[in-house]
RNA sequence: GCGCCCGUAGCUCAGCCGGAUAGAGCGUUCGCCUCCGGAGCGAAAGGCCACAGGUUCGAAUCCUGUCGGGCGCACCA
């Protein structure tokens, strides 16, 4: 059955036919507090001009011609608005019992996030990328898409080389006392300092390591760091489908293949004179207006490819313009899901899997990469292939703003940095202190503290728009009250507690008498019924904050309902102490609220403990 | 210089493909456990929605301009 808003839209469309109005765009909205009705439409305003009539009069005529859909008790004219009153019993019952999962979209989305250099521990700037990408993947899946999450491993870059070289330069031996990526990160920093006195030797050593990396020789060294980093991501509840190693991308000729495609494009040329003589350049002026210099160098005149050309090759592969990587399993993740990896020793379809071929491609990369990302996307449009054009339309750069630390830009050199591991540990510690205080008899305190602490962290990264700068401050990031994950988790636990008590009493919602419910319950049901709509728009806009805001709204509404008092100041919304029939109906509503809160949190990758 | 993003309560932010009195949290003040979990609830105070024009029956929301702030614009990676 279509949701209530769609039904109302259809009913209005029918009614408008009697007024000889077609194709009007009908808006259905929730009625603000204090006005009569539950859903309303300002449609009469829109028609006032073309019908040359007073909107209030039009509203009356529409209502006269209107046949209310099931679940709507009556329509009322409120000035120029048409407001609908739902039939409490049937509305709440249908909201609670209907299946809210969204239909499959038959569309494969390739989503890249994380892509942290494998040479030191990840910091809170990366945290935002990881959490944002992970939440988007979850939301897209809920919206019915098939999602393949890729994590790009830049194992041939200078940073990886410096860290690996630092081990031999300092003859350092890992003793297991700290997390491996932290240990290596320290050597990396130390090496940067040593450059001041021993630049030549270091430069030579690093360069040698870079060459070995390109040949894929030191892959195990990189994998050591990577596994250590992955441990942190797993702790955040983040998992991947595929690791794509840059050395594999390079060695499988993606660069050559990408350039082969581009060289056929009329926008790509190799000038024989002028300042670009001998280089391969791409003219993007038609797609990126306002550039001072519309020519992008893909291959330098000395024959070396620019980094962006590598990225273009990778992007082409994501879109399925060519094949050429082989894969093997790399790890079993905490949930039991296998993590695959590109691998020279693997096969093209490891376990029968087909990677890439995304009909939609999403790159989660910070806003400072907007320019190169636009170039990468534009290259798809210039590829001249139908798939490329299609992929151009369906490529998105999810550009998020940076994270600053107490107002300062992060900088490894200046020591202004904060690792994910440190933040997780501190968040969990603070959460544990509160849990111990509030609920000392709780069984799995450590697990719950972790869920609450990590939840608070993730929520803080997700609750506002991606294009907003986040200034990381401990008190805000780890706040356990107010607009936070623990607030929502608490609302959830509170619902669980009622459900537990009900179960102990052997109550079942089969005996629900829906007609005994009132307007307070209708408000809650309205909110519950909104989730699919929220998921759809959050997926469309790649905007997890919409889910976060929704979760807060629902938790607030539920807390408010829970504490509601009649005019004598007595609680009038109790569940278990309500009369039979009403009691079971409210119980069913609470179950639905609990479920909806848990679903919302899970879309953000946040756990919903039953007790806390 | 050009391009992108931001400007809403003291602070941090929702609301933005136009609709009904602009909403939260933090902070401040005052109430609420004889009641299923007080990590909660209720209330007060706090807004020329940066500014100026325009479009519209209607603008925080759309358009133009101005002013503030951030970021980006290499034959680097």
């Amino acid at each position: 059955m279509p949701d209530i808003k769609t039904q109302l839209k259809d009913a209005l469309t029918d009614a408008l036919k009697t007024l000889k109005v077609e194709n009007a765009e009908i808006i259905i909205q929730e009625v603000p507090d204090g006005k009569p009705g539950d859903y309303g439409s300002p449609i009469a305003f829109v028609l006032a001009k073309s019908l040359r009539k007073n909107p209030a009069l039009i509203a009356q005529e529409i209502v006269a011609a209107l046949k209310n859909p099931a679940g709507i008790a009556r329509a009322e004219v409120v000035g120029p608005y048409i407001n609908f009153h739902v039939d409490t019993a049937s509305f709440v019952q249908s909201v609670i019992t209907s299946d809210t999962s969204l239909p499959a979209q038959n569309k494969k989305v390739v989503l890249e996030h994380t892509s942290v250099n494998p040479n030191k521990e990840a910091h809170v700037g990366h945290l935002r990328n990881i959490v944002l990408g992970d939440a988007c993947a979850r939301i897209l899946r809920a919206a019915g898409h098939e999602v393949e999450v890729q994590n790009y491993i830049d194992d041939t870059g200078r940073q990886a080389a410096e860290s690996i070289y630092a081990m031999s330069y300092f003859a350092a031996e890992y003793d297991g006392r700290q997390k491996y990526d932290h240990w290596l990160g320290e050597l990396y920093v130390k090496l940067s300092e040593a450059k001041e006195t021993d630049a030549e030797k270091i430069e030579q050593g690093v360069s040698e390591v870079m060459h070995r990396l390109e040949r894929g020789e030191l892959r195990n060294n990189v994998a050591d760091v990577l596994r250590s980093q992955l441990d942190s991501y797993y702790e955040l509840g983040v998992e991947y489908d595929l690791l794509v190693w840059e050395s594999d991308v390079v060695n499988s000729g993606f660069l050559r293949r990408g350039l082969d495609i581009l060289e056929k494009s009329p926008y790509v040329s190799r000038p024989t004179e002028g300042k670009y003589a001998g280089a391969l350049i791409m003219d993007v002026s038609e797609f990126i207006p306002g550039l001072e210099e519309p020519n992008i160098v893909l291959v330098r005149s000395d024959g070396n490819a620019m980094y962006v050309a590598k990225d273009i090759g990778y992007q082409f592969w994501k879109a399925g313009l060519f094949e050429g990587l082989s894969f093997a399993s790399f790890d079993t993740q905490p949930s039991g899901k296998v993590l695959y990896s590109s691998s020279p020793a693997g096969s093209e379809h490891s376990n029968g899997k087909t990677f890439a071929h995304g009909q939609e491609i999403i790159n989660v990369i910070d806003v400072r990469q907007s320019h190169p990302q636009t170039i990468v996307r534009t290259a798809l449009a210039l590829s001249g292939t139908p798939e490329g054009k299609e992929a151009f339309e369906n490529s998105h750069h999810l550009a998020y703003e940076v994270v600053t630390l107490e107002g300062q830009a992060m900088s490894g050199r200046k020591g202004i940095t904060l690792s994910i591991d440190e933040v997780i540990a501190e968040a969990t510690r603070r959460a544990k202190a509160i849990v111990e205080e509030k609920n000392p008899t709780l069984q799995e305190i450590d697990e719950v503290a972790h869920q609450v602490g990590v939840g608070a962290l993730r929520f803080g990264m997700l609750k506002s728009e991606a294009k907003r700068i986040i200034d990381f401050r401990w008190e805000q990031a780890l706040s356990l009250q107010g607009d936070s994950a623990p607030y929502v988790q608490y609302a959830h636990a509170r619902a669980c507690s009622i459900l537990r008590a009900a179960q102990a009493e052997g109550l079942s919602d089969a005996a629900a008498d829906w007609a005994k419910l009132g307007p307070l319950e209708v408000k809650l049901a309205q909110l519950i019924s909104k989730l699919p709509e929220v998921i759809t728009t959050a997926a469309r806009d790649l905007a997890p904050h919409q889910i976060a805001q929704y979760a807060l709204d629902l938790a607030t509404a539920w807390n408010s309902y829970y504490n509601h008092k009649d005019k004598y100041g007595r609680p009038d919304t109790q569940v278990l102490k309500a009369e039979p029939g009403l009691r079971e109906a409210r119980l069913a509503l609470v179950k639905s609220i609990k479920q909806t809160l848990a679903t919302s949190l899970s879309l953000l990758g946040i756990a919903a403990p039953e007790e806390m």
Side-chain angles (χ1 to χ4, degrees):
Chain A
M1 195 168 73
D3 68 275
I4 192 84
K5 285 188 184 179
T6 309
Q7 291 183 55
L8 287 171
K9 239 179 246 189
D10 293 346
L12 281 174
T13 306
D14 281 344
L16 287 177
K17 279 181 192 152
T18 67
L19 301 188
K20 302 206 167 47
V21 176
E22 309 261 348
N23 301 327
E25 198 169 321
I26 297 169
I27 293 166
I28 305 289
Q29 53 199 179
E30 282 84 15
V31 169
D33 283 338
K35 301 282 177 188
D38 302 301
Y39 293 97
S41 176
I43 182 68
F45 276 121
V46 184
L47 302 175
K49 193 160 196 180
S50 60
L51 296 181
R52 305 180 140 277
K53 253 188 245 178
N54 181 327
L57 205 63
I58 297 173
Q60 283 169 21
E61 288 177 19
I62 294 173
V63 168
L66 192 70
K67 279 167 69 182
N68 288 323
I72 294 297
R74 64 197 172 87
E76 179 185 358
V77 175
V78 182
Y81 289 93
I82 300 170
N83 286 5
F84 300 95
H85 296 258
V86 303
D87 174 70
T88 302
S90 65
F91 176 71
V92 177
Q93 187 184 10
S94 85
V95 167
I96 286 174
T97 54
S98 65
D99 174 21
T100 57
S101 61
L102 292 156
Q105 301 290 322
N106 296 319
K107 189 178 199 180
K108 178 165 179 182
V109 180
V110 169
L111 188 155
E112 179 198 337
H113 70 76
T114 304
S115 305
V116 175
N117 268 318
N119 77 309
K120 62 199 292 266
E121 76 283 1
H123 57 65
V124 287
H126 300 123
L127 177 65
R128 186 172 196 181
N129 180 305
I130 294 161
V131 165
L132 187 60
D134 183 57
C136 284
R138 291 165 185 267
I139 292 164
L140 286 164
R141 283 181 181 130
H145 299 287
E146 181 196 347
V147 181
E148 176 178 305
V149 177
Q150 298 187 1
N151 180 359
Y152 189 72
I153 312 303
D154 183 3
D155 62 327
T156 63
R158 182 160 193 101
Q159 328 236 22
E162 291 196 0
S163 282
I164 289 170
Y165 176 66
M167 287 192 281
S168 56
Y169 181 81
F170 295 113
E173 202 70 44
Y174 180 56
D175 61 7
R177 265 195 273 175
Q178 51 183 334
K179 209 160 152 281
Y180 185 78
D181 51 358
H182 287 252
W183 173 77
L184 195 65
E186 279 177 18
L187 290 178
Y188 170 78
V189 173
K190 254 172 80 184
L191 189 75
S192 301
E193 289 159 9
K195 277 186 208 162
E196 285 178 20
T197 54
D198 199 7
E200 207 169 310
K201 180 184 173 195
I202 292 174
E203 184 49 44
Q204 202 192 338
V206 168
S207 156
E208 194 184 314
V209 171
M210 279 182 83
H211 286 111
R212 295 182 64 193
L213 282 169
E214 258 169 51
R215 295 193 293 269
E217 287 176 15
L218 298 167
R219 200 173 172 112
N220 286 338
N221 295 67
V222 178
D224 287 341
V225 199
L226 179 58
R227 286 185 194 278
S228 181
Q229 291 174 329
L230 282 169
D231 283 340
S232 304
Y233 312 153
Y234 294 157
E235 246 200 277
L236 292 167
V238 177
E239 298 190 349
Y240 305 84
D241 294 290
L242 181 67
L243 306 173
V244 179
W245 295 65
E246 182 157 287
S247 59
D248 294 332
V249 165
V250 170
N251 292 323
S252 37
F254 279 17
L255 185 59
R256 189 64 258 151
R257 293 183 205 216
L259 291 176
D260 281 346
I261 291 174
L262 283 174
E263 277 179 22
K264 293 184 195 127
S265 163
Y267 297 92
V268 175
S269 62
R270 198 183 287 276
T272 50
E273 52 190 34
K275 71 171 180 176
Y276 292 121
L280 186 70
I281 61 171
M282 178 168 83
D283 179 359
V284 296
S285 55
E286 204 169 297
F287 296 85
I288 313 175
L291 279 183
E292 216 165 294
E293 176 51 73
N295 292 307
I296 307 295
V297 175
L298 297 173
V299 180
R300 290 185 281 177
S301 46
D302 65 8
N304 286 317
M306 299 287 287
Y307 194 87
V308 72
K310 239 185 272 182
D311 267 354
I312 289 171
Y314 178 33
Q315 185 83 355
F316 279 12
W317 173 75
K318 284 180 182 170
L321 299 195
F322 46 72
E323 310 273 340
L325 281 182
S326 29
F327 310 95
S329 74
F330 181 84
D331 197 7
T332 301
Q333 302 176 93
S335 73
K337 180 166 143 179
V338 174
L339 172 60
Y340 290 89
S341 167
S342 65
S343 162
S347 63
E348 201 173 322
H349 296 280
S350 183
N351 277 348
K353 289 215 154 227
T354 300
F355 294 104
H357 293 276
Q359 286 146 296
E360 193 165 328
I361 300 167
I362 298 166
N363 297 338
V364 183
I365 308 182
D366 82 66
V367 68
R368 293 168 304 186
Q369 295 296 316
S370 291
H371 184 59
Q373 279 293 302
T374 312
I375 293 167
V376 164
R377 195 173 94 94
T378 302
L380 284 166
L382 301 186
S383 70
T385 65
E387 301 98 306
K389 285 247 169 64
E390 176 105 19
F392 168 73
E393 300 293 338
N394 296 309
S395 284
H396 310 279
H397 170 208
L398 175 44
Y400 62 91
E401 264 292 355
V402 295
V403 178
T404 56
L405 283 181
E406 309 276 344
Q408 290 182 288
M410 269 192 271
S411 157
R413 277 180 297 122
K414 292 182 195 158
I416 306 172
T417 184
L418 184 55
S419 77
I420 290 182
D421 300 300
E422 239 175 295
V423 178
I424 293 174
E426 178 64 14
T428 305
R429 199 187 61 73
R430 291 193 191 200
K432 186 174 176 182
I434 303 285
V435 179
E436 276 174 337
E437 176 200 328
K438 308 263 182 193
N439 202 348
T441 60
L442 186 61
Q443 286 297 301
E444 285 139 7
I445 285 191
D446 284 314
E447 192 191 337
V448 170
H450 188 261
Q451 291 174 335
V452 171
V454 169
L457 258 187
R458 290 190 60 131
F459 200 88
M461 289 284 144
L462 293 172
K463 73 177 171 188
S464 45
E465 293 179 283
K467 62 188 176 192
R468 212 121 217 157
I469 294 171
I470 291 181
D471 187 30
F472 186 93
R473 290 166 198 268
W474 285 104
E475 324 81 68
Q476 277 172 233
L478 306 186
S479 167
L480 306 183
Q481 6 124 288
D483 282 348
S484 69
Y487 176 83
V488 181
Q489 289 170 319
Y490 182 78
H492 173 267
R494 176 180 255 173
C496 288
S497 157
I498 294 172
L499 294 170
R500 267 195 309 275
Q503 199 181 19
E505 289 178 34
L507 299 176
S508 106
D509 37 287
D513 183 351
W514 306 102
K516 288 186 171 163
L517 296 175
L520 292 174
E521 284 87 4
V522 168
K523 275 271 173 248
L524 279 176
Q526 265 186 295
L527 252 181
I528 291 169
S529 74
K530 232 181 143 179
L531 178 64
E533 182 188 328
V534 175
I535 292 175
T536 304
T537 57
R540 183 198 62 197
D541 301 341
L542 300 176
H545 83 277
Q546 293 177 10
I547 303 288
Q549 295 294 336
Y550 170 79
L552 287 173
D553 284 348
L554 185 60
T556 301
W558 158 233
N559 278 333
S560 174
Y561 174 82
Y562 179 91
N563 282 295
H564 197 270
K565 307 270 196 293
D566 66 16
K567 58 184 170 179
Y568 307 108
R570 266 174 298 206
D572 60 353
T573 51
Q574 292 189 33
V575 177
L576 301 174
K577 288 173 188 163
E579 57 183 299
L582 177 59
R583 177 181 57 192
E584 284 79 2
R586 283 180 174 168
L587 203 53
L589 185 63
V590 171
K591 199 183 272 180
S592 183
I593 286 164
K594 172 209 127 73
Q595 188 51 51
T596 311
L597 286 170
T599 303
S600 309
L601 286 172
S602 79
L603 291 170
L604 303 173
I606 296 171
E610 304 256 317
E611 294 179 68
M612 60 188 276

